[in-house]
Amino acid sequence: MDLGLAGKVALVAASSKGLGKASALALAREGARVTICARTEADLDAAAGEIRRETGAEVLAVPADLASAAGIHSVVAATAERFGGVDVMVNNSGGPAKGRFADFTDEDWLRAFDVVTLNFVRFVREVAPYMRRQRWGRIIGIQSSSVKQPVDGIDLSNALRPGIAGLMKSLTPDLAKDGITINLVLPGMFLTSRIIAGAGRSPEGDQALQEQLAPRAAAIPAGRLGYPMELGSLVAFLASQQASYITGAVYQVDGGLIGSNV
């Protein structure tokens, strides 16, 4: 299927590793020109090189602190300067600190609000004018299964991430008038570098790694953790021309983990 992404400009946040990198790779495979951004320049350059080698796509790597308004502005400005605008924005960010309600100070809550809520707000605010001018755009937020179902031990995320879904629904009618769709994807448990490192293994031998992590997968109906490209493929579809009638939607990518009816 031709997703109609050849030549489009995609900006993927927090994309040096994991789900962000997989999303950037999926978009590059479809012919998009891609900006990737993250804080650590060495990791970012390595990811950019990998994506270029595999896809031949044009990749712009921009080091930035995405927890700040200035960092987000610099990434969007660099993308517009290089490619002339932004067609697709994939919002992704690190999660707030783990822990329970009693563990957190006011400063922890404010920091988490920056990381989760203001990160999304600032990126949408920055890219929307480019999309409105061309009357076409795709905004995709990578959030968490905690949007639909609280996850034990991450009370900050449980409190803040559902608010992104509410904001997304509030923005949908206004953005749709200008041909811009906005959707969320909710990852469950994936074989990202953080989990692989925690298991004390390299990414080689995925089946052996899945077996080692079987206790963590026990609650997942699919019986395993997800592979990042499984989420990346959905991101690419939601960015496509074929997805033009999909907006204001929330897609869980979790192997059946979420027990909610909707």
Side-chain angles (χ1 to χ4, degrees):
M1 179 187 297
D2 180 3
L3 297 184
L5 288 171
K8 295 290 189 186
V9 177
L11 190 168
V12 185
S15 42
S16 63
K17 297 180 180 179
L19 301 179
K21 178 182 170 184
S23 298
L25 179 58
L27 290 161
R29 284 175 175 171
E30 296 298 325
R33 296 173 289 168
V34 179
T35 293
I36 62 173
C37 51
R39 188 175 301 162
T40 305
E41 189 168 1
D43 291 341
L44 197 61
D45 289 343
E50 181 181 335
I51 294 169
R52 291 187 192 109
R53 286 191 298 273
E54 178 169 334
T55 68
E58 190 173 357
V59 181
L60 173 64
V62 183
D65 177 4
L66 302 180
S68 71
I72 289 170
H73 175 77
S74 71
V75 169
V76 176
T79 302
E81 181 178 357
R82 174 74 169 269
F83 298 125
V86 181
D87 300 305
V88 177
M89 192 275 287
V90 181
N91 177 258
N92 182 41
S93 67
K98 295 181 179 180
R100 300 188 182 279
F101 179 81
D103 300 329
F104 301 122
T105 65
D106 285 1
E107 288 71 25
D108 293 323
W109 282 98
L110 291 170
R111 191 176 302 113
F113 186 75
D114 271 346
V115 168
V116 175
T117 306
L118 281 181
N119 179 281
F120 186 85
V121 167
R122 288 164 174 161
F123 263 115
V124 173
R125 184 188 290 144
E126 289 280 347
V127 303
Y130 296 101
M131 297 178 179
R132 289 190 193 279
R133 280 199 290 271
Q134 63 202 18
R135 299 190 62 78
W136 196 97
R138 302 286 186 264
I139 297 171
I140 301 153
I142 300 176
Q143 286 296 312
S144 163
S145 61
S146 62
V147 168
K148 286 193 173 184
Q149 181 171 289
V151 177
D152 187 48
I154 57 168
D155 286 0
L156 288 173
S157 184
N158 292 337
L160 293 173
R161 290 199 185 273
I164 300 297
L167 175 59
M168 180 266 293
K169 295 297 282 188
S170 297
L171 292 170
T172 296
D174 182 57
L175 293 172
K177 291 186 297 185
D178 288 319
I180 305 166
T181 68
I182 182 168
N183 297 287
L184 301 182
V185 295
L186 312 184
M189 296 181 67
F190 278 80
L191 283 174
T192 60
S193 57
R194 178 176 57 83
I195 287 188
I196 291 169
R201 294 182 61 92
S202 73
E204 305 303 323
D206 282 341
Q207 186 56 45
L209 183 57
Q210 290 277 11
E211 291 171 2
Q212 182 179 351
L213 294 171
R216 299 188 68 167
I220 303 172
R224 63 173 176 85
L225 278 68
Y227 297 105
M229 285 308 302
E230 292 177 301
L231 183 134
S233 296
L234 175 60
V235 167
F237 176 74
L238 290 174
S240 73
Q241 185 62 38
Q242 282 80 353
S244 60
Y245 200 56
I246 301 173
T247 193
V250 177
Y251 288 86
Q252 56 207 61
V253 189
D254 65 346
L257 176 65
I258 297 173
S260 168
N261 289 332
V262 294

